[in-house]
Amino acid sequence: MTEAAIRKKPGMVSVKDMPVLQDGPPPGGFPPVRYARRIPNKGPSAVAIFLTAFGAFSWGMYEVGKGNKIRRALKEEKYAARRAILPVLQAEEDERFVKEWKKYLEYEAEVMKDVPGWKVGENVYNSGKWVPPSTGELRPDVW
């Protein structure tokens, strides 16, 4: 089809001669465009979330405190048992030490019998203090 048939005019001299055929808004206009940030009000408020978190934290700290009290009581019970049995263990160690010390003195007397002026059991360091062996035994495997 030609333009003359479409526009029902024999021809055009200028574009300005064309009838204006333009789409326009519907009667009453277009609805407004939503461009604002609209977040729906779903879920709990910030105060509710804060109070829930604070409550959970408080409950957790309460449970930690209860556990600390129980652990402290168990530790004190363990230490009390150790303090109660300590004299028995010390007596056994003293008895073992006296037996080993007597063996050691007998061995020293036998080894040093030919040395003039040697006193069995005398401290060679001349400090005036008696110091028990730090290892807890007198090395009976050496004799």
Side-chain angles (χ1 to χ4, degrees):
M1 286 177 78
T2 64
E3 188 159 338
I6 293 174
R7 302 209 180 264
K8 300 190 174 65
K9 282 189 169 183
M12 284 191 308
V13 177
S14 171
V15 174
K16 294 180 182 179
D17 295 339
M18 292 178 60
V20 177
L21 297 173
Q22 182 178 358
D23 286 340
F30 288 107
V33 177
R34 286 182 43 180
Y35 62 89
R37 184 168 181 235
R38 295 189 180 154
I39 301 172
N41 293 333
K42 293 181 181 177
S45 67
V47 173
I49 292 172
F50 176 77
L51 290 177
T52 303
F54 181 76
F57 177 78
S58 299
W59 178 78
M61 286 287 107
Y62 171 73
E63 291 295 320
V64 166
K66 280 190 347 186
N68 286 343
K69 285 181 182 178
I70 292 170
R71 193 167 44 255
R72 192 177 311 122
L74 291 173
K75 187 185 282 187
E76 179 56 34
E77 181 181 351
K78 180 172 75 172
Y79 288 158
R82 288 181 180 177
R83 284 191 303 267
I85 199 171
L86 185 65
V88 175
L89 295 176
Q90 187 63 50
E92 287 178 355
E93 173 58 22
D94 290 346
E95 183 181 4
R96 187 206 62 78
F97 179 79
V98 168
K99 287 179 185 176
E100 292 296 324
W101 187 249
K102 286 181 182 177
K103 283 185 196 176
Y104 174 75
L105 292 179
E106 290 172 4
Y107 177 72
E108 183 182 357
E110 180 185 330
V111 170
M112 302 301 283
K113 64 184 173 187
D114 296 333
V115 178
W118 182 264
K119 294 180 185 173
V120 175
E122 184 178 341
N123 190 352
V124 295
Y125 297 110
N126 299 322
S127 66
K129 294 182 181 178
W130 182 83
V131 181
S134 60
T135 60
E137 61 179 309
L138 293 174
R139 305 284 311 261
D141 57 329
V142 176
W143 307 324

